[in-house]
Amino acid sequence: MADLTALEDAGLCELDNLPVSIRVLLESVLRNADGETITEDDVRAVASWEPDVPDVELPFQPSRVVLQDLTGVPAVVDLAALRSAADRKGMDPTVVEPQIPADLVIDHSVQVDYFDSEDAYEKNVELEYERNAERYRAIKWAQNAFDDFEVVPPGTGIVHQVNLEYLGRVVHVREREGEGDSGGENESEQWLVPDTLVGTDSHTPMIGGIGVVGWGVGGIEAEAALLGQPITMKLPEVVGVRLDGELPEGATATDLVLHITERLREVGVVDRFVEFFGPGVSSLTVPDRATIANMAPEQGSTISTFPVDEATLDYLELTGRDPEHVELVREYLAAQGLFGEQEPEYTEVVEFDLSTVEPSLAGHKRPQDRIALGDVKRSFRGLLHGEFEDDLNEDVDREALARWLGEGGGGGAGEADVETDGGSTETDRGVGESVGMEPADEAEVPPDEPDLGPLTERVAVELDGETVEIGHGDVVVSAITSCTNTSNPSVMIAAGLLAKNAVEKGLDVPDYVKTSLAPGSRVVTEYLEGSGLLPYLEELGYGVVGYGCTTCIGNAGPLPDPIERAIDEHDLWTTSVLSGNRNFEARIHPKIRANYLASPPLVVAFGLAGRMDVDLDSEPLGTDSDGEPVYLADIWPDPDEVQAAIHDSVSPDLFEEKYASVFEGDERWAALDAPTGDVYEWDDESTYIREPPFFQEFPLEKPGVADVEDARCLLTLGDTVTTDHISPAGPFGPDLPAGQWLADRGVEPYEFNTYGSRRGNHEVMMRGTFANVRIENEMLDDVEGGYTVHHPTDEQTTVFEASQRYREDGTPLVVMAGEEFGTGSSRDWAAKGTDLLGIRATIAESYERIYRDNLVGMGVLPLQFHEGDSWESLGLDGSEVFTIHGLDDGLDVMDELTVVAEPVDGEGETVEFPVTAQVGTPAAVTYVEHGGVLHYVLRQLLTGAR
């Protein structure tokens, strides 16, 4: 093993002072130091970490890569394209080969078309294979064509839950070449190596729940890592979150993670590592820790990790890991100073008191916008007031309404809220009352809270021969989904018990609510069945619809046609509630305007209520068989009952059985006919898998950089434009450029599938870039969707059409944006599409890490306004002609450049402003000079193979 204590003995560092995650990175650098790619100076630089972090570059080589299919298919397509390029150059195509192990889990393609029926799962899987057969054949080709490339077939689970329950090892035993004792010949040696990884999904940090350092990267960066390229990054700051106390009765791990997400967003942890420590850690189960670690991207951090302790080892045994391996984990980590409770130095320490956590949701469009359970009704009505003031009941006292909204009606906290030491809010109701540990009485309306009455008249719709009414605030999607929560037996069992109690009270879910249960692994179904709770969930409509991300990734499937028509005709603000991690605009369903994250039991509770416009602290969910009101307090599960059910139904044999054949798949996977051979057979007629243009007519000389002259602006965007806005994953119609391209090739609209499923087809994906139905281009007034102005003609058109006109004229493009540009999911196509549209540079006030790095990985220059500047403050509107100066003499790390924006036809004043190139390492500079990281890697492979 690479002995960290030797560095301490040499006086290079004091291990106890280094955060655990930094020690793990240090081990990687030490072990892989070869004097060329990674040098002794690199080892010294990482060992020099201190709270005021030195400005040094870190070359990190993970021990493995994890992919999911939406980002994995583009990775497979790129690797296949690299082999094709090598083959065209007369090289051995197998020069393109993964250098470290990779696991691809197919989990992002199943959609909830069928629900609330015994055969929903089978029908959804059949449709999944029907829609995605071409993609799956390409994945199966890669499984056979590449070494150390394993595939977990459809219908198994969600990548991060499979990673937590099975793939994660904490410590690897790896073969490594070494020098023989005589003759100097290479011999194989066994090394102990910390389990580290990068994944093509932003929620990869969930593995930090078992103490493994891993984070999400774009597919571009992951492909480079697979090909042996170190991931270069700045040595990170590390924030320590000290946990004290214990969760109060009635609060769940989901409530905790929503509080922590809110708190860390306030602190600001973008580009930083987060480690949890302190006495409160021992009170959290490993699934609780994983729930927190899963939402590192929502918190803003690169990773959120926990220590490996006795609870971790117990979890490894519970999930079926070999006891001998578990003991090896203990011995290795103890020898390296990595086991158990640690309290090193941190860049910043955040105190958080677990006892302050209260039941909460997050919404209506950002995961960090926590709302206390008792404030949900007020918050939603405040939201509607802002959108539909003219539609409010005429009898409403508008002065009282304005006063009430000013006191917190539009958010989660009002005058009665007080700040706690943990940084969360605790209202004067108290946690126990908030979930109604005792049956609640009808609450009186506070004297300053107006009686709003119904916000609009309800709309009658026909569903399966029955008339139902829907209106603003009604929950039309209620989904238990996402690895965030389905990995945690405590909240899944709680949902089952709440369902049982509800059924026994005679409650039911309204017909207009689309319900679903998508477990993160088959183990979940087993223990729900074993505990006798699955039938109660099924009776309420929460039957298993598939094993995958489903609603959380945007695969909620269609709503019933009458519901969708009513939403369109009456502009209804319907809602969804899901146990996921993302609720961005149009992500869950393009017609649902407000989306809320909640624990699985609260998902069921709001499904029963059927509306978000309800105070579950004081209003009933419905009535029992005797017509008596039933409150949340009446059916909320007892914590002891939850723990007893977990104890009786969750055991190692479940995990051992379900993961014994994890890479084999079902009869559908076995019957799938996939191509063979070292070079992929491209089909020019395919609408799913096409050879991308990135490596065709590939020059061996790097193109370098130069000033960008006479560019036009394609879009001017506001704050928090997400990767969902830039590269949507959900469905699209025939009126959009992507749909038109498919229709021109004879594909019927019902066969379009989703953007996510078409990620192996650059023609669809570049037409879908900046095409989210909720994106707002500030060049246009009151227009949503992927539209812009083609400035030379002053014509409004689609973003894709305008980009093609500019391309035909040889005009380079820029995009301007506000803060947090590219926040959200890891979407390599957000950067690839940006590149293919002809955008040479983006100019934003700030970036989210993964999107920024992906832009660099595609050779697109991410530029940042100086502090206080924005396109608005500078008086720009996007109609100008832009020139970016300072590149003719080359590009440097974090280079200072100048942008000149000239008005067209001499009208107005020329604006000149400074920007900083967000290329933080010499490697990033190299990638931009080569036109992208894969272009650089291919040139290295081709020139080295000659």
Side-chain angles (χ1 to χ4, degrees), residues 523-796:
V523 173
V524 177
T525 305
E526 289 296 308
Y527 69 65
L528 286 175
E529 286 182 341
S531 62
L533 297 175
L534 187 58
Y536 295 102
L537 286 163
E538 291 172 335
E539 189 163 342
L540 294 180
Y542 297 93
V544 173
V545 295
Y547 295 91
C549 299
T550 59
T551 303
C552 190
I553 192 60
N555 287 354
L559 301 175
D561 287 341
I563 298 288
E564 292 201 4
R565 284 197 300 271
I567 291 172
D568 288 341
E569 291 172 7
H570 299 275
D571 196 20
L572 296 179
W573 271 60
T574 54
T575 67
S576 74
V577 58
L578 65 150
S579 60
N581 46 46
R582 293 272 163 86
N583 56 340
F584 300 131
E585 288 182 305
R587 178 186 178 92
I588 306 307
H589 191 283
K591 295 186 184 300
I592 297 176
R593 299 298 294 266
N595 304 290
Y596 294 85
L597 307 180
S599 65
L602 285 181
V603 167
V604 177
F606 277 96
L608 290 165
R611 57 197 177 101
M612 198 57 58
D613 178 32
V614 60
D615 181 356
L616 294 187
D617 274 355
S618 59
E619 298 179 51
L621 293 162
T623 56
D624 63 17
S625 53
D626 296 325
E628 294 297 320
V630 178
Y631 296 89
L632 182 58
D634 300 322
I635 63 170
W636 191 261
D638 180 85
D640 292 338
E641 193 177 1
V642 172
Q643 292 307 311
I646 293 173
H647 180 270
D648 293 342
S649 58
V650 182
S651 60
D653 59 290
L654 294 182
F655 294 89
E656 292 169 4
E657 176 189 348
K658 292 304 173 184
Y659 283 111
S661 55
V662 66
F663 299 117
E664 295 178 10
D666 60 14
E667 67 281 358
R668 301 177 185 86
W669 184 256
L672 202 61
D673 184 25
T676 59
D678 294 333
V679 179
Y680 188 76
E681 300 173 6
W682 303 102
D683 179 2
D684 291 339
E685 300 302 313
S686 173
T687 60
Y688 275 97
I689 305 294
R690 299 174 72 89
E691 183 176 9
F694 306 124
F695 315 115
Q696 297 178 14
E697 301 178 3
F698 185 77
L700 291 180
E701 298 297 324
K702 69 177 182 181
V705 295
D707 286 358
V708 178
E709 298 184 356
D710 299 329
R712 302 307 295 260
C713 185
L714 191 59
L715 301 102
T716 54
L717 303 168
D719 295 339
T720 319
V721 172
T722 72
T723 48
D724 283 77
H725 288 114
I726 302 167
S727 182
F732 55 93
D735 55 326
L736 297 177
Q740 291 165 4
W741 186 89
L742 290 172
D744 289 345
R745 281 148 188 81
V747 181
E748 296 294 332
Y750 73 89
E751 299 176 304
F752 282 2
N753 211 332
T754 64
Y755 281 118
S757 69
R758 298 279 180 179
R759 285 185 180 180
N761 182 349
H762 64 279
E763 297 286 2
V764 168
M765 295 310 296
M766 66 179 180
R767 286 167 172 80
T769 304
F770 295 107
N772 185 295
V773 295
R774 294 286 175 253
I775 194 170
E776 296 183 5
N777 182 2
E778 302 292 344
M779 291 179 188
L780 304 170
D781 293 329
D782 300 323
V783 175
E784 286 186 325
Y787 300 95
T788 191
V789 175
H790 179 250
H791 294 297
T793 61
D794 202 31
E795 180 182 347
Q796 178 177 320

Side-chain angles (χ1 to χ4, degrees), residues 338-401:
L338 298 173
F339 185 79
E341 185 175 339
Q342 308 277 338
E343 194 160 347
E345 296 181 346
Y346 290 112
T347 305
E348 181 178 355
V349 173
V350 177
E351 303 281 346
F352 191 92
D353 185 352
L354 298 174
S355 69
T356 64
V357 173
E358 61 180 335
S360 302
L361 289 81
H364 68 289
K365 63 180 180 179
R366 298 195 311 176
Q368 65 263 39
D369 293 337
R370 185 185 65 82
I371 310 168
L373 177 61
D375 290 331
V376 170
K377 177 178 181 177
R378 185 169 61 175
S379 173
F380 184 77
R381 287 196 165 198
L383 171 67
L384 276 189
H385 171 67
E387 295 294 329
F388 301 110
E389 183 173 2
D390 293 338
D391 293 336
L392 290 174
N393 190 307
E394 290 300 321
D395 295 331
V396 168
D397 181 340
R398 292 181 181 272
E399 289 187 9
L401 175 61

Side-chain angles (χ1 to χ4, degrees), residues 903-915:
V904 179
D905 299 328
E907 297 180 5
E909 297 182 359
T910 297
V911 178
E912 183 174 313
F913 57 97
V915 293

